[in-house]
Amino acid sequence: SGLISLPIMQADENQYYLNHNLNKENDMCGEPFIDAANSLTDQNITIYGHTVFQDSNDLMFTPLKKLLDQQTFDQNQRFYIEWADGIRTYQIFAVCDIDYAEDSWNYTQNIFQTDKNFYTYVHAARKHSSVTADIDVAATDQLVTLQTCTELSSTKRTIIVAKEIK
């Protein structure tokens, strides 16, 4: 989309890259990272990144909040991730602001036992979405979910859900 260009890390637990960068140095901005529970073969891979409330509105995942605006979303519906096996293209179909303390949607769900479970997840993403996207999503699609905070020390999150375009 051009809003973000960052490396993505993964550790054995989800705390390390909250305050370490890719050089393993202490860094309050951390580094975007894949959920420790995920493998690259999961049907939904969750990637976390900080929103930075000072210095710049362009640091880490801060620009993702701009996608809550329909016009910005319309201009930035696709993004690319370079995985170990190559570059994959993703089409965003939901941009959500949620409070996970008040909402039961498990947006980090990574494996779906049935097609019905998958479509329940997709329906929840669309229901929570602040933007409209006429994108078909099939039970065979691979998803990526991006998460960033929306307010310092809160349970509010901006969630971006996208499907891989093959």
Short mmCIF file of all heavy atoms in Angstrom, two decimals, residues 97-161:
data_model
loop_
_atom_site.label_atom_id
_atom_site.label_comp_id
_atom_site.label_asym_id
_atom_site.label_seq_id
_atom_site.Cartn_x
_atom_site.Cartn_y
_atom_site.Cartn_z
N ASP A 97 -12.15 -0.98 14.10
CA ASP A 97 -11.76 -0.45 15.40
C ASP A 97 -12.57 -1.24 16.43
O ASP A 97 -13.81 -1.21 16.39
CB ASP A 97 -12.12 1.03 15.51
CG ASP A 97 -10.89 1.93 15.49
OD1 ASP A 97 -9.77 1.41 15.60
OD2 ASP A 97 -11.07 3.14 15.37
N ILE A 98 -11.89 -1.96 17.31
CA ILE A 98 -12.62 -2.76 18.30
C ILE A 98 -12.03 -2.54 19.69
O ILE A 98 -10.90 -2.07 19.83
CB ILE A 98 -12.62 -4.26 17.97
CG1 ILE A 98 -11.23 -4.86 18.12
CG2 ILE A 98 -13.16 -4.53 16.59
CD1 ILE A 98 -11.27 -6.37 18.27
N ASP A 99 -12.80 -2.91 20.68
CA ASP A 99 -12.34 -2.97 22.06
C ASP A 99 -12.42 -4.43 22.45
O ASP A 99 -13.50 -4.98 22.64
CB ASP A 99 -13.23 -2.11 22.95
CG ASP A 99 -12.71 -2.02 24.38
OD1 ASP A 99 -12.04 -2.98 24.85
OD2 ASP A 99 -12.99 -1.00 25.03
N TYR A 100 -11.25 -5.09 22.51
CA TYR A 100 -11.28 -6.54 22.74
C TYR A 100 -11.78 -6.92 24.12
O TYR A 100 -12.19 -8.06 24.35
CB TYR A 100 -9.93 -7.19 22.43
CG TYR A 100 -8.80 -6.87 23.37
CD1 TYR A 100 -8.68 -7.51 24.59
CD2 TYR A 100 -7.82 -5.95 23.02
CE1 TYR A 100 -7.63 -7.23 25.45
CE2 TYR A 100 -6.77 -5.67 23.87
CZ TYR A 100 -6.68 -6.31 25.08
OH TYR A 100 -5.65 -6.03 25.93
N ALA A 101 -11.82 -5.99 25.06
CA ALA A 101 -12.36 -6.29 26.39
C ALA A 101 -13.89 -6.37 26.35
O ALA A 101 -14.50 -7.01 27.20
CB ALA A 101 -11.92 -5.23 27.39
N GLU A 102 -14.49 -5.72 25.35
CA GLU A 102 -15.95 -5.68 25.25
C GLU A 102 -16.49 -6.51 24.10
O GLU A 102 -17.69 -6.58 23.90
CB GLU A 102 -16.41 -4.24 25.09
CG GLU A 102 -16.05 -3.36 26.27
CD GLU A 102 -16.42 -1.90 26.04
OE1 GLU A 102 -17.03 -1.58 25.01
OE2 GLU A 102 -16.07 -1.08 26.90
N ASP A 103 -15.62 -7.11 23.32
CA ASP A 103 -16.03 -7.81 22.11
C ASP A 103 -15.53 -9.25 22.13
O ASP A 103 -14.40 -9.51 22.52
CB ASP A 103 -15.47 -7.08 20.88
CG ASP A 103 -16.16 -7.49 19.61
OD1 ASP A 103 -16.04 -8.66 19.22
OD2 ASP A 103 -16.83 -6.63 19.00
N SER A 104 -16.35 -10.18 21.68
CA SER A 104 -15.98 -11.59 21.73
C SER A 104 -15.31 -12.09 20.44
O SER A 104 -14.93 -13.25 20.37
CB SER A 104 -17.21 -12.44 22.02
OG SER A 104 -18.16 -12.28 20.99
N TRP A 105 -15.16 -11.23 19.42
CA TRP A 105 -14.56 -11.66 18.16
C TRP A 105 -13.09 -12.02 18.39
O TRP A 105 -12.30 -11.18 18.81
CB TRP A 105 -14.69 -10.56 17.12
CG TRP A 105 -14.04 -10.87 15.80
CD1 TRP A 105 -14.01 -12.08 15.18
CD2 TRP A 105 -13.33 -9.96 14.96
NE1 TRP A 105 -13.32 -11.97 13.98
CE2 TRP A 105 -12.89 -10.68 13.83
CE3 TRP A 105 -13.03 -8.60 15.05
CZ2 TRP A 105 -12.17 -10.09 12.81
CZ3 TRP A 105 -12.31 -8.02 14.03
CH2 TRP A 105 -11.89 -8.76 12.92
N ASN A 106 -12.73 -13.24 18.10
CA ASN A 106 -11.34 -13.70 18.23
C ASN A 106 -10.62 -13.44 16.91
O ASN A 106 -10.48 -14.33 16.08
CB ASN A 106 -11.29 -15.19 18.60
CG ASN A 106 -9.87 -15.70 18.70
OD1 ASN A 106 -8.91 -14.93 18.75
ND2 ASN A 106 -9.72 -17.01 18.72
N TYR A 107 -10.17 -12.20 16.70
CA TYR A 107 -9.55 -11.82 15.43
C TYR A 107 -8.18 -12.46 15.23
O TYR A 107 -7.65 -12.43 14.12
CB TYR A 107 -9.46 -10.30 15.30
CG TYR A 107 -8.69 -9.62 16.39
CD1 TYR A 107 -7.31 -9.49 16.32
CD2 TYR A 107 -9.34 -9.09 17.50
CE1 TYR A 107 -6.60 -8.88 17.34
CE2 TYR A 107 -8.64 -8.47 18.51
CZ TYR A 107 -7.27 -8.36 18.42
OH TYR A 107 -6.56 -7.75 19.42
N THR A 108 -7.61 -13.08 16.26
CA THR A 108 -6.32 -13.76 16.11
C THR A 108 -6.48 -15.26 15.79
O THR A 108 -5.48 -15.96 15.70
CB THR A 108 -5.44 -13.61 17.37
OG1 THR A 108 -6.09 -14.25 18.46
CG2 THR A 108 -5.18 -12.15 17.68
N GLN A 109 -7.72 -15.71 15.62
CA GLN A 109 -7.92 -17.13 15.30
C GLN A 109 -7.11 -17.48 14.07
O GLN A 109 -7.19 -16.80 13.05
CB GLN A 109 -9.41 -17.41 15.07
CG GLN A 109 -9.71 -18.86 14.81
CD GLN A 109 -11.20 -19.14 14.69
OE1 GLN A 109 -12.04 -18.28 14.91
NE2 GLN A 109 -11.54 -20.36 14.35
N ASN A 110 -6.32 -18.55 14.15
CA ASN A 110 -5.41 -18.86 13.05
C ASN A 110 -5.76 -20.12 12.28
O ASN A 110 -5.31 -20.30 11.15
CB ASN A 110 -3.96 -18.92 13.55
CG ASN A 110 -3.74 -19.97 14.62
OD1 ASN A 110 -4.67 -20.37 15.32
ND2 ASN A 110 -2.51 -20.41 14.77
N ILE A 111 -6.54 -20.99 12.88
CA ILE A 111 -6.94 -22.24 12.22
C ILE A 111 -8.45 -22.36 12.33
O ILE A 111 -9.04 -22.10 13.38
CB ILE A 111 -6.24 -23.45 12.89
CG1 ILE A 111 -4.72 -23.34 12.73
CG2 ILE A 111 -6.76 -24.76 12.30
CD1 ILE A 111 -3.94 -24.36 13.53
N PHE A 112 -9.08 -22.77 11.23
CA PHE A 112 -10.54 -22.92 11.19
C PHE A 112 -10.85 -24.38 10.92
O PHE A 112 -10.43 -24.93 9.91
CB PHE A 112 -11.13 -22.01 10.11
CG PHE A 112 -10.73 -20.57 10.30
CD1 PHE A 112 -9.63 -20.05 9.63
CD2 PHE A 112 -11.42 -19.76 11.18
CE1 PHE A 112 -9.23 -18.74 9.81
CE2 PHE A 112 -11.03 -18.44 11.37
CZ PHE A 112 -9.93 -17.93 10.69
N GLN A 113 -11.57 -25.02 11.84
CA GLN A 113 -11.85 -26.45 11.73
C GLN A 113 -12.82 -26.78 10.60
O GLN A 113 -12.77 -27.87 10.03
CB GLN A 113 -12.38 -26.98 13.07
CG GLN A 113 -11.44 -26.79 14.23
CD GLN A 113 -10.09 -27.48 14.03
OE1 GLN A 113 -10.02 -28.53 13.40
NE2 GLN A 113 -9.03 -26.88 14.53
N THR A 114 -13.72 -25.84 10.31
CA THR A 114 -14.72 -26.06 9.26
C THR A 114 -14.86 -24.80 8.42
O THR A 114 -14.46 -23.71 8.85
CB THR A 114 -16.10 -26.40 9.87
OG1 THR A 114 -16.59 -25.25 10.58
CG2 THR A 114 -16.04 -27.61 10.80
N ASP A 115 -15.45 -24.95 7.25
CA ASP A 115 -15.75 -23.78 6.41
C ASP A 115 -16.68 -22.82 7.16
O ASP A 115 -16.54 -21.61 7.06
CB ASP A 115 -16.40 -24.20 5.10
CG ASP A 115 -15.43 -24.90 4.16
OD1 ASP A 115 -14.22 -25.00 4.48
OD2 ASP A 115 -15.89 -25.36 3.09
N LYS A 116 -17.63 -23.38 7.93
CA LYS A 116 -18.55 -22.54 8.69
C LYS A 116 -17.78 -21.66 9.68
O LYS A 116 -18.08 -20.47 9.82
CB LYS A 116 -19.59 -23.40 9.42
CG LYS A 116 -20.60 -22.57 10.19
CD LYS A 116 -21.62 -23.43 10.90
CE LYS A 116 -22.57 -22.50 11.65
NZ LYS A 116 -23.52 -23.23 12.47
N ASN A 117 -16.79 -22.22 10.38
CA ASN A 117 -15.96 -21.43 11.31
C ASN A 117 -15.24 -20.31 10.56
O ASN A 117 -15.15 -19.17 11.06
CB ASN A 117 -14.93 -22.30 12.01
CG ASN A 117 -15.53 -23.30 12.97
OD1 ASN A 117 -15.09 -24.43 13.05
ND2 ASN A 117 -16.55 -22.89 13.73
N PHE A 118 -14.73 -20.62 9.39
CA PHE A 118 -14.03 -19.62 8.59
C PHE A 118 -14.98 -18.48 8.20
O PHE A 118 -14.66 -17.31 8.38
CB PHE A 118 -13.42 -20.26 7.33
CG PHE A 118 -12.71 -19.27 6.44
CD1 PHE A 118 -11.40 -18.91 6.69
CD2 PHE A 118 -13.36 -18.71 5.35
CE1 PHE A 118 -10.74 -18.00 5.87
CE2 PHE A 118 -12.71 -17.80 4.53
CZ PHE A 118 -11.40 -17.44 4.79
N TYR A 119 -16.14 -18.84 7.68
CA TYR A 119 -17.10 -17.81 7.25
C TYR A 119 -17.65 -17.01 8.44
O TYR A 119 -17.97 -15.82 8.29
CB TYR A 119 -18.22 -18.42 6.42
CG TYR A 119 -17.75 -18.80 5.03
CD1 TYR A 119 -17.82 -20.11 4.60
CD2 TYR A 119 -17.21 -17.85 4.17
CE1 TYR A 119 -17.38 -20.48 3.33
CE2 TYR A 119 -16.76 -18.19 2.90
CZ TYR A 119 -16.84 -19.51 2.49
OH TYR A 119 -16.40 -19.85 1.23
N THR A 120 -17.74 -17.62 9.61
CA THR A 120 -18.14 -16.88 10.81
C THR A 120 -17.09 -15.80 11.12
O THR A 120 -17.44 -14.66 11.46
CB THR A 120 -18.31 -17.84 12.01
OG1 THR A 120 -19.36 -18.76 11.69
CG2 THR A 120 -18.64 -17.09 13.29
N TYR A 121 -15.82 -16.15 10.99
CA TYR A 121 -14.73 -15.19 11.19
C TYR A 121 -14.81 -14.05 10.18
O TYR A 121 -14.74 -12.87 10.53
CB TYR A 121 -13.37 -15.90 11.07
CG TYR A 121 -12.20 -14.99 11.25
CD1 TYR A 121 -11.65 -14.77 12.50
CD2 TYR A 121 -11.65 -14.32 10.16
CE1 TYR A 121 -10.58 -13.91 12.66
CE2 TYR A 121 -10.58 -13.46 10.31
CZ TYR A 121 -10.05 -13.26 11.57
OH TYR A 121 -8.99 -12.39 11.73
N VAL A 122 -14.98 -14.39 8.90
CA VAL A 122 -15.06 -13.37 7.84
C VAL A 122 -16.26 -12.46 8.07
O VAL A 122 -16.15 -11.23 7.95
CB VAL A 122 -15.11 -14.03 6.45
CG1 VAL A 122 -15.43 -13.02 5.36
CG2 VAL A 122 -13.79 -14.74 6.15
N HIS A 123 -17.40 -13.05 8.44
CA HIS A 123 -18.60 -12.25 8.72
C HIS A 123 -18.35 -11.28 9.88
O HIS A 123 -18.75 -10.11 9.82
CB HIS A 123 -19.80 -13.16 9.02
CG HIS A 123 -21.02 -12.41 9.42
ND1 HIS A 123 -21.80 -11.70 8.52
CD2 HIS A 123 -21.59 -12.22 10.64
CE1 HIS A 123 -22.78 -11.11 9.16
NE2 HIS A 123 -22.69 -11.41 10.46
N ALA A 124 -17.69 -11.74 10.93
CA ALA A 124 -17.39 -10.87 12.07
C ALA A 124 -16.47 -9.72 11.64
O ALA A 124 -16.68 -8.57 12.06
CB ALA A 124 -16.74 -11.67 13.20
N ALA A 125 -15.48 -10.02 10.82
CA ALA A 125 -14.58 -8.96 10.33
C ALA A 125 -15.37 -7.92 9.54
O ALA A 125 -15.22 -6.71 9.76
CB ALA A 125 -13.47 -9.56 9.47
N ARG A 126 -16.22 -8.37 8.65
CA ARG A 126 -17.03 -7.43 7.84
C ARG A 126 -17.99 -6.63 8.72
O ARG A 126 -18.22 -5.44 8.49
CB ARG A 126 -17.81 -8.19 6.77
CG ARG A 126 -16.93 -8.76 5.66
CD ARG A 126 -17.82 -9.35 4.57
NE ARG A 126 -17.13 -10.14 3.60
CZ ARG A 126 -16.43 -9.66 2.56
NH1 ARG A 126 -16.31 -8.37 2.39
NH2 ARG A 126 -15.85 -10.49 1.71
N LYS A 127 -18.59 -7.29 9.72
CA LYS A 127 -19.54 -6.61 10.61
C LYS A 127 -18.85 -5.48 11.39
O LYS A 127 -19.43 -4.43 11.62
CB LYS A 127 -20.15 -7.63 11.58
CG LYS A 127 -21.21 -7.05 12.50
CD LYS A 127 -21.76 -8.12 13.42
CE LYS A 127 -21.07 -7.92 14.74
NZ LYS A 127 -21.34 -8.84 15.77
N HIS A 128 -17.60 -5.71 11.79
CA HIS A 128 -16.86 -4.71 12.56
C HIS A 128 -16.21 -3.64 11.68
O HIS A 128 -15.74 -2.63 12.20
CB HIS A 128 -15.76 -5.39 13.37
CG HIS A 128 -16.26 -6.19 14.52
ND1 HIS A 128 -16.67 -7.49 14.40
CD2 HIS A 128 -16.40 -5.86 15.82
CE1 HIS A 128 -17.06 -7.93 15.58
NE2 HIS A 128 -16.90 -6.97 16.46
N SER A 129 -16.18 -3.85 10.39
CA SER A 129 -15.42 -2.97 9.49
C SER A 129 -16.01 -1.57 9.39
O SER A 129 -17.23 -1.41 9.28
CB SER A 129 -15.33 -3.59 8.11
OG SER A 129 -14.45 -2.83 7.29
N SER A 130 -15.12 -0.59 9.39
CA SER A 130 -15.51 0.81 9.22
C SER A 130 -15.55 1.22 7.75
O SER A 130 -16.01 2.30 7.43
CB SER A 130 -14.52 1.72 9.95
OG SER A 130 -14.52 1.43 11.32
N VAL A 131 -15.05 0.35 6.87
CA VAL A 131 -15.03 0.66 5.45
C VAL A 131 -15.81 -0.41 4.70
O VAL A 131 -16.05 -1.51 5.20
CB VAL A 131 -13.59 0.74 4.89
CG1 VAL A 131 -12.81 1.86 5.57
CG2 VAL A 131 -12.86 -0.59 5.04
N THR A 132 -16.20 -0.08 3.48
CA THR A 132 -16.91 -1.02 2.63
C THR A 132 -15.95 -1.54 1.57
O THR A 132 -15.29 -0.77 0.88
CB THR A 132 -18.10 -0.31 1.93
OG1 THR A 132 -18.94 0.24 2.94
CG2 THR A 132 -18.87 -1.28 1.06
N ALA A 133 -15.88 -2.86 1.46
CA ALA A 133 -15.02 -3.49 0.46
C ALA A 133 -15.77 -4.67 -0.15
O ALA A 133 -16.13 -5.61 0.55
CB ALA A 133 -13.73 -3.97 1.10
N ASP A 134 -16.03 -4.60 -1.43
CA ASP A 134 -16.76 -5.66 -2.13
C ASP A 134 -15.76 -6.69 -2.63
O ASP A 134 -15.45 -6.77 -3.82
CB ASP A 134 -17.56 -5.06 -3.28
CG ASP A 134 -18.49 -6.06 -3.93
OD1 ASP A 134 -18.84 -7.06 -3.26
OD2 ASP A 134 -18.85 -5.87 -5.10
N ILE A 135 -15.23 -7.48 -1.70
CA ILE A 135 -14.20 -8.48 -1.99
C ILE A 135 -14.75 -9.85 -1.63
O ILE A 135 -15.18 -10.07 -0.49
CB ILE A 135 -12.92 -8.20 -1.15
CG1 ILE A 135 -12.44 -6.77 -1.29
CG2 ILE A 135 -11.83 -9.21 -1.47
CD1 ILE A 135 -12.04 -6.36 -2.66
N ASP A 136 -14.74 -10.76 -2.58
CA ASP A 136 -15.15 -12.13 -2.30
C ASP A 136 -14.07 -12.82 -1.48
O ASP A 136 -12.89 -12.71 -1.79
CB ASP A 136 -15.39 -12.91 -3.59
CG ASP A 136 -16.64 -12.45 -4.33
OD1 ASP A 136 -17.58 -11.97 -3.67
OD2 ASP A 136 -16.66 -12.57 -5.57
N VAL A 137 -14.48 -13.54 -0.44
CA VAL A 137 -13.55 -14.30 0.39
C VAL A 137 -14.08 -15.73 0.44
O VAL A 137 -15.23 -15.96 0.77
CB VAL A 137 -13.44 -13.71 1.81
CG1 VAL A 137 -12.45 -14.50 2.64
CG2 VAL A 137 -13.04 -12.23 1.75
N ALA A 138 -13.20 -16.69 0.09
CA ALA A 138 -13.58 -18.10 0.04
C ALA A 138 -12.90 -18.87 1.16
O ALA A 138 -11.83 -18.48 1.64
CB ALA A 138 -13.19 -18.70 -1.31
N ALA A 139 -13.49 -19.98 1.54
CA ALA A 139 -12.97 -20.80 2.64
C ALA A 139 -11.57 -21.35 2.35
O ALA A 139 -10.89 -21.79 3.27
CB ALA A 139 -13.93 -21.94 2.95
N THR A 140 -11.14 -21.30 1.12
CA THR A 140 -9.80 -21.77 0.76
C THR A 140 -8.76 -20.64 0.80
O THR A 140 -7.57 -20.89 0.61
CB THR A 140 -9.81 -22.37 -0.66
OG1 THR A 140 -10.33 -21.39 -1.57
CG2 THR A 140 -10.64 -23.64 -0.70
N ASP A 141 -9.20 -19.40 1.07
CA ASP A 141 -8.28 -18.26 1.08
C ASP A 141 -7.38 -18.26 2.32
O ASP A 141 -7.80 -18.68 3.40
CB ASP A 141 -9.05 -16.93 1.03
CG ASP A 141 -9.62 -16.64 -0.34
OD1 ASP A 141 -9.03 -17.10 -1.34
OD2 ASP A 141 -10.65 -15.95 -0.41
N GLN A 142 -6.17 -17.77 2.13
CA GLN A 142 -5.23 -17.52 3.23
C GLN A 142 -5.44 -16.07 3.66
O GLN A 142 -5.56 -15.18 2.81
CB GLN A 142 -3.79 -17.72 2.77
CG GLN A 142 -3.46 -19.14 2.35
CD GLN A 142 -3.54 -20.12 3.49
OE1 GLN A 142 -4.31 -21.06 3.44
NE2 GLN A 142 -2.75 -19.92 4.52
N LEU A 143 -5.45 -15.83 4.97
CA LEU A 143 -5.68 -14.49 5.51
C LEU A 143 -4.45 -13.99 6.27
O LEU A 143 -3.67 -14.78 6.78
CB LEU A 143 -6.87 -14.48 6.47
CG LEU A 143 -8.20 -15.03 5.96
CD1 LEU A 143 -9.25 -14.95 7.06
CD2 LEU A 143 -8.65 -14.30 4.72
N VAL A 144 -4.34 -12.67 6.32
CA VAL A 144 -3.40 -12.00 7.22
C VAL A 144 -4.20 -10.96 7.98
O VAL A 144 -5.00 -10.22 7.40
CB VAL A 144 -2.24 -11.33 6.44
CG1 VAL A 144 -1.48 -10.35 7.33
CG2 VAL A 144 -1.29 -12.37 5.89
N THR A 145 -4.00 -10.92 9.30
CA THR A 145 -4.65 -9.94 10.16
C THR A 145 -3.56 -9.08 10.80
O THR A 145 -2.65 -9.61 11.43
CB THR A 145 -5.49 -10.64 11.24
OG1 THR A 145 -6.50 -11.43 10.60
CG2 THR A 145 -6.14 -9.64 12.18
N LEU A 146 -3.65 -7.78 10.60
CA LEU A 146 -2.71 -6.83 11.20
C LEU A 146 -3.39 -6.17 12.39
O LEU A 146 -4.57 -5.82 12.32
CB LEU A 146 -2.31 -5.76 10.18
CG LEU A 146 -1.81 -6.24 8.82
CD1 LEU A 146 -1.55 -5.05 7.90
CD2 LEU A 146 -0.58 -7.09 8.97
N GLN A 147 -2.67 -6.01 13.49
CA GLN A 147 -3.24 -5.40 14.68
C GLN A 147 -2.32 -4.31 15.21
O GLN A 147 -1.11 -4.48 15.29
CB GLN A 147 -3.42 -6.43 15.78
CG GLN A 147 -4.02 -5.79 17.04
CD GLN A 147 -3.50 -6.39 18.32
OE1 GLN A 147 -3.96 -7.44 18.71
NE2 GLN A 147 -2.57 -5.73 18.97
N THR A 148 -2.92 -3.18 15.57
CA THR A 148 -2.20 -2.13 16.27
C THR A 148 -3.12 -1.50 17.30
O THR A 148 -4.35 -1.57 17.19
CB THR A 148 -1.64 -1.06 15.29
OG1 THR A 148 -0.73 -0.22 15.98
CG2 THR A 148 -2.74 -0.23 14.65
N CYS A 149 -2.54 -0.90 18.33
CA CYS A 149 -3.35 -0.24 19.36
C CYS A 149 -3.87 1.09 18.84
O CYS A 149 -3.32 1.65 17.89
CB CYS A 149 -2.54 -0.05 20.65
SG CYS A 149 -0.94 0.70 20.41
N THR A 150 -4.93 1.58 19.45
CA THR A 150 -5.49 2.86 19.02
C THR A 150 -5.37 3.94 20.09
O THR A 150 -5.46 5.10 19.79
CB THR A 150 -6.97 2.73 18.61
OG1 THR A 150 -7.71 2.23 19.72
CG2 THR A 150 -7.12 1.81 17.43
N GLU A 151 -5.19 3.54 21.32
CA GLU A 151 -4.99 4.48 22.41
C GLU A 151 -3.98 3.88 23.36
O GLU A 151 -3.97 2.68 23.60
CB GLU A 151 -6.31 4.74 23.15
CG GLU A 151 -7.36 5.42 22.30
CD GLU A 151 -8.68 5.59 23.04
OE1 GLU A 151 -8.69 5.51 24.29
OE2 GLU A 151 -9.69 5.80 22.37
N LEU A 152 -3.13 4.70 23.90
CA LEU A 152 -2.10 4.24 24.82
C LEU A 152 -2.74 3.56 26.03
O LEU A 152 -3.67 4.07 26.62
CB LEU A 152 -1.24 5.43 25.27
CG LEU A 152 0.10 5.13 25.89
CD1 LEU A 152 0.97 4.30 24.97
CD2 LEU A 152 0.81 6.42 26.24
N SER A 153 -2.22 2.38 26.39
CA SER A 153 -2.67 1.61 27.56
C SER A 153 -4.17 1.34 27.55
O SER A 153 -4.85 1.50 28.55
CB SER A 153 -2.30 2.36 28.85
OG SER A 153 -0.92 2.51 28.92
N SER A 154 -4.68 0.91 26.42
CA SER A 154 -6.11 0.60 26.36
C SER A 154 -6.32 -0.78 25.76
O SER A 154 -5.39 -1.46 25.36
CB SER A 154 -6.85 1.65 25.52
OG SER A 154 -6.66 1.38 24.15
N THR A 155 -7.56 -1.17 25.68
CA THR A 155 -7.91 -2.44 25.07
C THR A 155 -8.49 -2.22 23.66
O THR A 155 -9.04 -3.14 23.08
CB THR A 155 -8.94 -3.17 25.94
OG1 THR A 155 -10.06 -2.30 26.17
CG2 THR A 155 -8.33 -3.59 27.27
N LYS A 156 -8.34 -1.02 23.15
CA LYS A 156 -8.84 -0.71 21.80
C LYS A 156 -7.77 -1.00 20.77
O LYS A 156 -6.59 -0.70 20.97
CB LYS A 156 -9.30 0.74 21.73
CG LYS A 156 -10.49 1.00 22.63
CD LYS A 156 -10.97 2.41 22.52
CE LYS A 156 -12.17 2.60 23.44
NZ LYS A 156 -12.66 3.97 23.40
N ARG A 157 -8.19 -1.60 19.66
CA ARG A 157 -7.27 -2.00 18.60
C ARG A 157 -7.84 -1.67 17.23
O ARG A 157 -9.06 -1.70 17.03
CB ARG A 157 -7.00 -3.50 18.64
CG ARG A 157 -6.42 -4.01 19.95
CD ARG A 157 -4.98 -3.55 20.14
NE ARG A 157 -4.39 -4.06 21.36
CZ ARG A 157 -4.29 -3.38 22.49
NH1 ARG A 157 -4.79 -2.17 22.58
NH2 ARG A 157 -3.71 -3.92 23.55
N THR A 158 -6.95 -1.35 16.30
CA THR A 158 -7.31 -1.28 14.89
C THR A 158 -6.88 -2.60 14.27
O THR A 158 -5.73 -3.03 14.45
CB THR A 158 -6.61 -0.09 14.18
OG1 THR A 158 -7.05 1.12 14.80
CG2 THR A 158 -6.96 -0.06 12.70
N ILE A 159 -7.80 -3.24 13.57
CA ILE A 159 -7.59 -4.56 12.99
C ILE A 159 -7.79 -4.45 11.47
O ILE A 159 -8.83 -3.95 11.02
CB ILE A 159 -8.59 -5.60 13.56
CG1 ILE A 159 -8.60 -5.57 15.09
CG2 ILE A 159 -8.31 -6.98 12.99
CD1 ILE A 159 -7.31 -5.93 15.74
N ILE A 160 -6.82 -4.93 10.71
CA ILE A 160 -6.89 -4.98 9.26
C ILE A 160 -6.93 -6.46 8.87
O ILE A 160 -6.04 -7.22 9.26
CB ILE A 160 -5.66 -4.32 8.61
CG1 ILE A 160 -5.32 -2.95 9.21
CG2 ILE A 160 -5.78 -4.30 7.09
CD1 ILE A 160 -6.32 -1.89 9.01
N VAL A 161 -7.92 -6.88 8.09
CA VAL A 161 -8.00 -8.27 7.66
C VAL A 161 -7.95 -8.30 6.13
O VAL A 161 -8.70 -7.58 5.47
CB VAL A 161 -9.29 -8.96 8.17
CG1 VAL A 161 -9.24 -10.45 7.85
CG2 VAL A 161 -9.47 -8.74 9.67
#
